[in-house]
Amino acid sequence: MESPPLKVTFSFKAGQGGSGDPERREFWDSPDTIEWFKLRGYTLYQRGYATYSTGATLPTDSSYPVFPPESDSEFVDVEYPYSSYDVRVNVWEGFPPQPPLGACETTGKVVFAQDTHKRHVAIKIVHADTDEYRVLRFLNQQNLEVLKKSCILPVLELLPNDGFWFAVMPRWGPDLFRPSFTYMFEIIEIMHSCLKGLSYLHEHNIVHGDIRFENVLLSHFSNMSNEDFNDINVWCKERRENRVIRYALCDYDLSIMFPPTANKTECRLPHYESWGTFNLSYDTAGGEYDYDPFALDVGGLGVQFAQNFGLAAAKIHFLAPLIDKMTTWDISQRFTASEALIFFEERLAEVPEEELRDYIGAISPHKAYLEWDIWARVPAEVAEDWKSYRTPPIPWHLQTFRFLDRHLSRLNPYILPKTRFYLSCLASVFKTVYSFVFSSKIAI
């Protein structure tokens, strides 16, 4: 399968997309690129085009499979790790018919394809010698069953190309929130999957770095036997006509892989490494000059839980202490990923099944984190039982630092972190000198 390497004509950085970039579209749509992947067993989707009122026909971010489904049924079962799918996903009432199984990707770094068995995959371009590549290589070497239980999307293959790699993964679903939720157990399944995935990554010293539902989770239909499911998943299987939505972590754009021997409790990163991430836990909002990346991951996921599912704590009460312990400003008291998972599983085992079968109702407060109290709808006696898990009020000095950082960062985002760093160094020197001069003497 010898062929000249592809010349990548566009530049990209971690965490940055390129929606509408003509160079990226031209690269993926070029005959050379299409042929290169075809020689390796992958047929890229065809680009979608739209005709506008001006009469112009222009390319879009949508693409469609070359080979249509061979089955006449609406739902097609595919063996794990590939995704089963519903051919009706692109059928919208009141809109013109679209080719089935279309995909929309706006970063310009991912394309979709079909392999020699016409199974659907996603292919992402990554730089060689980066943490993202090292994470993908690590996952490519792991056992599929382990990844399945840990809610991590597997990396099926890594294709080398002159300074770049193309990571091939099963195609993921278009939206975490489609189809919409009806029962409480559905959001519980999402949260459980997130915690299992993050715990697995942290166990292997991998920091995800950008925990947000929009780009790190996938939903896909899996055809699995009943013995693979607990009661919650069986209900979901029955309700959705033998289809079960599974969730898993899938993107590692801003991930960092620390050495296997590294002590997670001692890992620190400079404050600016958190910029550009979905950091809503305010770990570096007070001019901190460094931060704990593992704690940032947990805090970011906790914020996602609070903003998307926080009102569910009115029915599933243990979600309030869980989220508070994942997002507390006191990093020393924050759950680790494994602690959060253990707490979740232990408390979930105590929840009656009928509560998990309840209709969801409103679950999102539609407010930013810290603008509402997750305990507000929790019964007073339950809140009293869990009061040790509640986040204490933010101390005045931290509030002051956050106020200063909000205003000083407009002038220069490095002012407060550098000031705090130099003051910390000065305090350390003073403490050392003081200890040396006034060291206690041992009586003889």
Side-chain angles (χ1 to χ4, degrees):
M1 193 187 298
E2 292 296 329
S3 60
L6 292 173
K7 181 175 177 58
V8 179
T9 57
F10 60 90
S11 61
F12 62 91
K13 295 181 179 179
Q16 295 182 358
S19 179
D21 184 349
E23 284 190 328
R24 300 191 186 199
R25 288 176 177 168
E26 290 172 6
F27 170 78
W28 294 115
D29 297 343
S30 72
D32 289 343
T33 301
I34 293 172
E35 182 63 22
W36 192 90
F37 280 102
K38 192 171 184 179
L39 289 173
R40 288 155 179 78
Y42 298 102
T43 301
L44 301 186
Y45 282 18
Q46 295 175 327
R47 173 76 59 188
Y49 289 81
T51 302
Y52 297 89
S53 57
T54 60
T57 300
L58 301 174
T60 68
D61 291 323
S62 298
S63 59
Y64 303 92
V66 172
F67 305 114
E70 294 181 348
S71 173
D72 293 331
S73 64
E74 294 175 335
F75 184 77
V76 179
D77 284 329
V78 179
E79 186 177 352
Y80 179 86
Y82 299 91
S83 300
S84 299
Y85 51 85
D86 191 333
V87 298
R88 299 169 299 177
V89 70
N90 279 33
V91 179
W92 299 94
E93 185 176 351
F95 289 84
Q98 299 289 325
L101 304 177
C104 183
E105 205 288 320
T106 60
T107 70
K109 294 186 287 188
V110 176
V111 291
F112 300 94
Q114 290 170 280
D115 65 11
T116 53
H117 298 283
K118 301 181 182 179
R119 298 172 299 199
H120 299 269
V121 298
I123 302 174
K124 182 178 183 182
I125 184 172
V126 297
H127 285 286
D129 195 28
T130 60
D131 278 304
E132 181 179 16
Y133 165 70
R134 284 185 279 274
V135 171
L136 294 171
R137 172 63 69 184
F138 168 79
L139 297 179
N140 176 247
Q141 297 169 346
Q142 304 309 300
N143 181 277
L144 280 179
E145 287 300 313
V146 172
L147 296 180
K148 177 179 172 183
K149 292 179 181 178
S150 302
C151 298
I152 300 289
L153 194 73
V155 178
L156 305 172
E157 189 174 7
L158 286 164
L159 305 173
N161 178 70
D162 194 22
F164 296 88
W165 291 83
F166 295 102
V168 183
M169 307 173 82
R171 179 182 166 183
W172 50 82
D175 189 340
L176 177 71
F177 301 98
R178 290 173 53 196
S180 58
F181 310 124
T182 302
Y183 301 109
M184 193 62 65
F185 67 78
E186 295 176 87
I187 66 168
I188 291 296
E189 177 68 18
I190 290 177
M191 298 175 75
H192 197 185
S193 299
C194 293
L195 290 170
K196 286 194 287 186
L198 191 61
S199 181
Y200 176 86
L201 294 180
H202 284 193
E203 179 186 349
H204 295 281
N205 276 8
I206 298 171
V207 173
H208 195 283
D210 198 21
I211 292 291
R212 52 175 158 169
F213 289 159
E214 289 82 358
N215 78 335
V216 304
L217 296 178
L218 66 113
S219 60
H220 68 279
F221 290 113
S222 296
N223 180 29
M224 306 165 75
S225 59
N226 281 348
E227 56 264 29
D228 289 328
F229 295 94
N230 56 31
D231 289 342
I232 294 176
N233 288 327
V234 171
W235 301 330
C236 188
K237 186 181 179 71
E238 293 171 350
R239 188 174 77 81
R240 300 190 177 182
E241 301 172 0
N242 295 325
R243 284 165 275 171
V244 178
I245 298 180
R246 311 295 292 175
Y247 302 92
L249 300 179
C250 68
D251 190 24
Y252 306 95
D253 212 42
L254 294 172
S255 295
I256 296 174
M257 191 170 190
F258 290 96
T261 56
N263 184 342
K264 286 190 282 290
T265 62
E266 298 176 355
C267 291
R268 311 291 295 181
L269 290 176
H271 64 101
Y272 51 80
E273 290 288 343
S274 70
W275 299 349
T277 68
F278 211 62
N279 171 31
L280 293 179
S281 54
Y282 295 89
D283 289 9
T284 58
E288 291 84 355
Y289 50 85
D290 65 4
Y291 68 96
D292 179 343
F294 293 95
L296 187 80
D297 265 1
V298 175
L301 183 57
V303 170
Q304 289 288 295
F305 287 168
Q307 291 185 329
N308 289 279
F309 310 130
L311 296 185
K315 295 184 177 180
I316 308 297
H317 304 317
F318 77 81
L319 296 183
L322 170 73
I323 291 173
D324 256 20
K325 287 290 282 186
M326 291 179 67
T327 58
T328 177
W329 59 266
D330 186 353
I331 308 300
S332 67
Q333 297 301 311
R334 185 177 294 178
F335 273 155
T336 64
S338 59
E339 288 171 346
L341 175 61
I342 292 171
F343 179 88
F344 182 95
E345 292 179 338
E346 289 179 347
R347 301 289 80 76
L348 180 60
E350 301 169 355
V351 178
E353 290 186 358
E354 57 270 19
E355 291 186 14
L356 297 175
R357 298 175 189 261
D358 280 351
Y359 287 100
I360 287 179
I363 55 174
S364 174
H366 299 293
K367 291 184 179 180
Y369 176 62
L370 291 185
E371 291 184 1
W372 63 286
D373 182 7
I374 194 173
W375 296 84
R377 298 190 181 187
V378 175
E381 62 275 12
V382 176
E384 178 65 21
D385 290 340
W386 292 105
K387 63 181 181 180
S388 63
Y389 284 75
R390 295 194 67 162
T391 298
I394 300 175
W396 68 267
H397 72 274
L398 183 54
Q399 293 187 48
T400 302
F401 280 136
R402 290 184 177 182
F403 173 82
L404 291 173
D405 190 66
R406 281 197 304 272
H407 292 81
L408 293 176
S409 60
R410 299 172 185 173
L411 302 174
N412 187 326
Y414 294 91
I415 292 178
L416 189 56
K418 285 186 176 181
T419 300
R420 292 191 63 177
F421 174 73
Y422 292 137
L423 290 176
S424 175
C425 291
L426 185 62
S428 178
V429 170
F430 177 80
K431 184 178 180 180
T432 301
V433 172
Y434 182 89
S435 299
F436 176 77
V437 173
F438 298 99
S439 59
S440 59
K441 296 181 180 180
I442 302 176
I444 301 177

